[in-house]
Amino acid sequence: MTCEIFVLPHHKTIMAAAGENLLAVLRREGLAVDAPCGGQGKCGKCRVILNGALALACRVRVEGNMTVELPPQQRQTVLTEGIAVQAAVDPAAGTLLAVDIGTTTVAAYLLDGPTGGQLACASAANPQASWGADVISRLQAAREGQSEAMTAAIRRCLADLVGDLCRAAGILPENIAVVSVVGNPAMQQLFLGLPTDNLTAIPFAPLLREAKVVAAAPYLPECKNARM
């Protein structure tokens, strides 16, 4: 049986199969609430209002049509400013996108290649926090089959940031020439869609040990003309 879930305050109707976990459904739709414990029912952070009553999303099974009100998103202060240094980043390039995927937050910057000047900056909470507040929880979730969902979530986050940056700078995403993405090994591998089992067993060696240059389009379709 297919059920309808009306989500507030987004006024969005999403579909789910009877028996699905509500937190998993919200994750899939990019509407996940905080779940630092990874959905184990221990932290109590994934509280929602379900048909007028408080409930933990991770403990709800979809059994019929329902209305779910999500808590207000808490804004996080992320360091996106520092000492400005005018230096050519890539004189041959046009606009550059630099992204730092942190376990907690994601910071992104648009830079002018010839001068290194900052055109715009933006940040967002890392949506993978819905699978756990820390790297270990997310690696465990990946082992349990959630790797693709976490990859989709972080790529969607970056796509949203690209949109915000380009609107602020007055440019088109397809005009971004270079994308630079950094993060710890777990964040890198989840973004690239690589397996993460190597990070859960001795010697805990990352798959990426040096910078690689690839086309950005498979990972960020908005930046279809960029190298990464």
Side-chain angles (χ1 to χ4, degrees):
M1 180 177 69
T2 301
C3 306
E4 294 185 355
I5 304 174
F6 184 63
V7 184
L8 295 170
H10 302 282
H11 295 279
K12 178 179 180 180
T13 299
I14 60 178
M15 311 304 293
E20 281 195 272
N21 177 271
L22 178 59
L23 179 60
V25 173
L26 294 173
R27 286 170 173 167
R28 185 174 67 229
E29 298 294 330
L31 299 170
V33 294
D34 287 342
C37 70
Q40 300 180 47
K42 297 178 179 179
C43 67
K45 297 287 188 179
C46 63
R47 289 187 295 269
V48 298
I49 299 177
L50 174 62
N51 295 334
L54 281 174
L56 294 181
C58 70
R59 288 295 176 262
V60 173
R61 294 289 173 184
V62 177
E63 296 179 350
N65 297 340
M66 58 179 65
T67 297
V68 175
E69 184 175 353
L70 305 183
Q73 290 188 338
Q74 295 182 345
R75 291 187 176 273
Q76 297 184 348
T77 300
V78 183
L79 179 63
T80 53
E81 296 183 0
I83 300 174
V85 178
Q86 293 295 111
V89 176
D90 187 345
T95 305
L96 286 72
L97 170 67
V99 181
D100 181 358
I101 302 178
T103 307
T104 304
T105 55
V106 182
Y109 310 81
L110 271 185
L111 305 173
D112 180 69
T115 67
Q118 181 175 294
L119 303 176
C121 65
S123 63
N126 189 325
Q128 294 173 343
S130 181
W131 286 269
D134 55 84
V135 171
I136 294 175
S137 297
R138 294 181 207 174
L139 292 177
Q140 179 60 35
R143 288 179 62 88
E144 295 172 354
Q146 297 300 309
S147 182
E148 289 186 8
M150 285 189 285
T151 294
I154 192 60
R155 291 183 184 178
R156 186 163 52 235
C157 176
L158 264 62
D160 290 343
L161 288 175
V162 168
D164 292 342
L165 291 168
C166 289
R167 282 188 291 273
I171 69 168
L172 297 174
E174 53 262 39
N175 290 337
I176 295 175
V178 177
V179 176
S180 176
V181 179
V182 299
N184 65 49
M187 296 303 100
Q188 288 181 357
Q189 290 176 212
L190 286 171
F191 169 69
L192 294 171
L194 299 175
T196 56
D197 288 350
N198 59 296
L199 299 175
T200 64
I202 296 173
F204 309 106
L207 294 179
L208 302 177
R209 301 191 183 190
E210 59 184 22
K212 292 185 179 295
V213 178
V214 296
Y219 310 96
L220 280 174
E222 298 75 16
C223 304
K224 60 183 181 180
N225 297 318
R227 65 184 190 275
M228 183 175 75

